[in-house]
C-alpha cells in the first residue's frame, strides 16, 4: 500500500488548480474548430501562437507552435510494435518496411507536394501522394474506392513533415506547411521525458495504463516511456496511482475546488484523467465516454456532475443527481439551460 494518500477533496482541488496548464499536453480539437476554443476560454488562455496538428494518437490537437519540434521528436515511433492496436488499427502489425522508413518516405513526398505553399484538403494531398509513395503503404480503401496512404500513417507523417491544419468552418481542415519555430529538435528521450512530465502534471494521480491510452502506446512502449518519469505512489481510495513528487505537494496545498465549468467534449480533463477516478459510477462513465459523439461535461467544484449537449441555442444538461441548480448553470453560460436528471 502506498504511504502517501490523497483525499477526494485534494484530488478535486488539484484538478481545478492545474486547468490552466493543459497546453503542456495540447488540447484536442476534434472536429477542428469545435471544442478547442471553449477549452481555452474556460481557462482564460490566449489562442495566439497556437497551431492545430495531428499529435497524440494522431488526433487533432492545439499546441504552442514553439513546442512542435520537441513534440515531433517525442512522438516519432521507434517501432511499429510501439503503436497500440486499439488506437491505430491493424495496419502497422504487417508493415512491410520499418516504420521509420515508411514515415520518411511519406514525409518526403508530403514536403515535395507542399513545397509550393498551397493550402490543400486531406483528399487533395492524399491524391497527390499516390505516385510518390510505395504501393505497399497505400492499401485499398473501400470507402474511397482507391489505394491511398493508410490514414494512421498519413496522420503520423503530417506532424513529422511540419504540416499544420487550418479549419474550414465546416468540420474539416486543410493542410498548410508550417512556418517552423526555428528551434532544433531535442533528442527523443529528452522530448519524451518532458511530455510525460506534462502528462503527470495534468493527469495525476494516474498510472502507466493512463499514459499508454493517452499516447496510443503498446504495453512494452508504455513501460519504456514510464521509466522516464519521476513518480511516487499515492493511495487513492484503496487504489495505488502515481504522481510527480512536486505535484503531490501541490495537490496537498491547493485551495478547495470551486466553480462550475461546462467542459467541451474531449476536454483535456476528460482525455487525461483516470476515468474511474473522474467518474466513479460505471453507468455515468458510459454516458460521458461513448463510442461516438461524446457529450460535454459539467465540472462542479472539481467533480463531474453531469453531461450537456447544445441543441440550437439551448443547452440541455443531464445531471448526475440533484447537485446542479438551473441558476448556477445559467450563470456559467449565456445560453438557455434546461436541466434533467440522469
Amino acid at each position: 500500500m502506498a504511504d502517501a494518500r490523497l483525499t477526494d477533496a485534494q484530488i478535486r482541488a488539484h484538478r481545478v488548480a492545474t486547468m490552466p496548464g493543459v497546453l503542456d499536453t495540447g488540447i484536442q480539437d476534434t472536429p477542428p474548430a469545435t471544442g478547442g476554443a471553449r477549452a481555452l476560454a474556460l481557462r482564460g488562455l490566449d489562442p495566439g501562437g497556437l497551431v492545430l496538428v495531428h499529435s497524440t494518437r494522431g488526433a487533432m490537437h492545439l499546441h504552442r507552435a514553439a513546442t512542435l519540434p520537441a513534440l515531433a521528436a517525442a512522438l516519432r515511433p521507434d517501432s511499429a510494435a510501439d503503436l497500440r492496436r486499439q488506437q491505430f488499427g491493424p495496419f502497422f502489425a504487417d508493415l512491410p518496411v520499418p516504420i521509420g522508413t515508411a514515415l520518411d518516405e511519406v514525409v518526403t513526398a508530403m514536403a515535395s507536394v507542399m513545397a509550393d505553399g498551397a493550402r490543400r484538403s486531406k483528399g487533395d494531398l492524399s491524391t497527390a501522394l499516390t505516385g510518390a509513395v510505395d504501393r505497399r503503404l497505400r492499401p485499398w480503401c473501400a470507402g474511397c474506392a482507391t489505394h491511398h496512404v493508410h490514414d494512421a500513417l498519413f496522420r503520423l507523417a503530417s506532424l513529422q513533415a511540419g504540416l499544420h491544419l487550418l479549419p474550414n468552418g465546416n468540420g474539416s481542415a486543410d493542410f498548410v506547411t508550417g512556418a517552423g519555430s526555428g528551434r532544433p529538435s531535442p533528442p527523443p528521450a529528452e522530448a519524451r521525458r518532458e511530455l510525460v512530465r506534462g502528462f503527470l502534471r495534468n493527469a495525476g494521480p494516474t498510472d502507466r495504463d493512463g499514459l499508454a491510452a493517452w499516447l496510443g502506446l503498446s504495453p512494452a512502449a508504455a513501460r519504456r516511456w514510464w521509466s522516464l518519469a519521476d513518480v511516487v505512489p499515492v493511495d487513492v481510495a484503496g487504489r495505488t496511482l502515481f504522481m510527480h513528487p512536486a505535484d503531490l505537494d501541490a495537490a496537498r496545498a491547493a485551495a478547495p475546488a470551486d466553480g462550475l465549468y461546462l467542459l467541451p467534449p474531449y476536454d483535456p480533463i476528460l482525455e487525461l484523467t483516470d476515468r474511474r477516478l473522474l467518474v466513479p459510477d460505471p453507468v455515468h462513465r458510459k454516458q460521458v465516454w461513448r463510442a461516438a459523439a461524446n457529450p460535454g461535461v459539467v465540472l462542479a467544484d472539481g467533480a463531474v456532475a453531469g453531461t450537456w449537449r447544445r441543441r440550437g441555442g439551448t443547452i440541455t444538461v443531464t445531471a448526475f443527481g440533484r447537485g446542479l441548480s438551473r441558476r448556477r448553470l445559467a450563470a456559467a453560460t449565456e445560453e438557455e439551460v434546461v436541466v434533467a436528471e440522469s
Side-chain angles (χ1 to χ4, degrees):
M1 185 65 67
D3 292 331
R5 288 178 173 80
L6 283 181
T7 66
D8 178 64
Q10 289 173 320
I11 292 169
R12 287 188 282 111
H14 180 66
R15 189 175 293 148
V16 172
T18 57
M19 283 181 66
V22 293
L23 287 173
D24 291 341
T25 55
I27 293 177
Q28 187 165 337
D29 197 20
T30 309
T34 53
R38 177 180 282 272
L40 288 168
L42 286 175
R43 294 162 170 83
L45 299 175
D46 186 348
L50 302 183
V51 292
L52 186 65
V53 296
H54 285 294
S55 65
T56 51
R57 307 178 310 284
M60 296 181 190
H61 285 72
L62 290 165
H63 288 273
R64 299 185 188 95
T67 65
L68 293 183
L71 184 69
L75 295 183
R76 181 181 170 95
D78 297 326
S79 164
D82 289 352
L83 302 178
R84 195 179 193 185
R85 189 184 181 103
Q86 293 96 313
Q87 269 96 0
F88 291 96
F91 171 75
F92 292 104
D94 299 316
L95 198 64
V97 296
I99 194 169
T101 302
L103 277 171
D104 290 342
E105 182 165 340
V106 178
V107 165
T108 298
M110 283 181 168
S112 177
V113 170
M114 299 297 293
D116 60 4
R119 175 173 174 161
R120 287 181 172 84
S121 69
K122 182 178 180 180
D124 288 343
L125 177 54
S126 180
T127 299
L129 298 178
T130 299
V133 175
D134 189 323
R135 176 68 173 267
R136 295 174 296 174
L137 305 179
R138 296 185 287 111
W140 174 256
C141 175
C144 300
T146 188
H147 289 272
H148 61 67
V149 174
H150 187 271
D151 183 62
L153 179 59
F154 184 101
R155 286 181 279 126
L156 289 175
S158 71
L159 176 65
Q160 303 299 321
L163 302 188
H164 300 174
L165 289 151
L166 297 180
N168 290 317
N170 61 1
S172 67
D174 291 339
F175 286 95
V176 294
T177 299
S181 68
R183 298 189 178 192
S185 298
E190 178 183 325
R192 289 171 183 172
R193 184 178 294 108
E194 188 62 26
L195 195 59
V196 172
R197 178 69 189 96
F199 169 76
L200 287 170
R201 185 179 297 115
N202 290 285
T206 187
D207 59 14
R208 191 175 65 201
D209 290 341
L211 179 69
W214 176 58
L215 291 171
L217 295 176
S218 67
R223 284 193 292 273
R224 295 199 306 274
W225 280 67
W226 191 254
S227 71
L228 302 171
D230 181 11
V231 296
V232 292
V234 182
D235 180 274
V236 180
R239 291 178 64 198
T240 299
L241 299 174
F242 300 87
M243 296 184 77
H244 187 280
D247 299 336
L248 175 59
D249 292 339
R252 286 168 163 167
D258 187 27
L260 188 145
Y261 306 90
L262 269 64
L263 305 180
Y266 308 106
D267 185 271
I269 285 179
L270 305 175
E271 294 304 296
L272 297 171
T273 310
D274 181 285
R275 293 185 177 186
R276 287 173 54 197
L277 188 61
L278 184 63
V279 184
D281 188 314
V283 174
H284 292 159
R285 280 203 298 273
K286 290 181 180 180
Q287 295 175 8
V288 172
W289 292 284
R290 304 173 66 89
N294 286 351
V297 160
V298 180
L299 192 76
D301 304 329
V304 171
T307 63
W308 66 269
R309 290 189 184 275
R310 180 186 288 106
R311 294 176 176 85
T314 301
I315 288 178
T316 300
V317 172
T318 301
F320 296 163
R322 299 180 180 274
L324 290 178
S325 69
R326 185 179 180 280
R327 178 178 296 179
R328 191 179 186 197
L329 285 163
T333 177
E334 297 179 355
E335 298 169 274
E336 183 180 351
V337 178
V338 176
V339 182
E341 288 189 15
S342 173

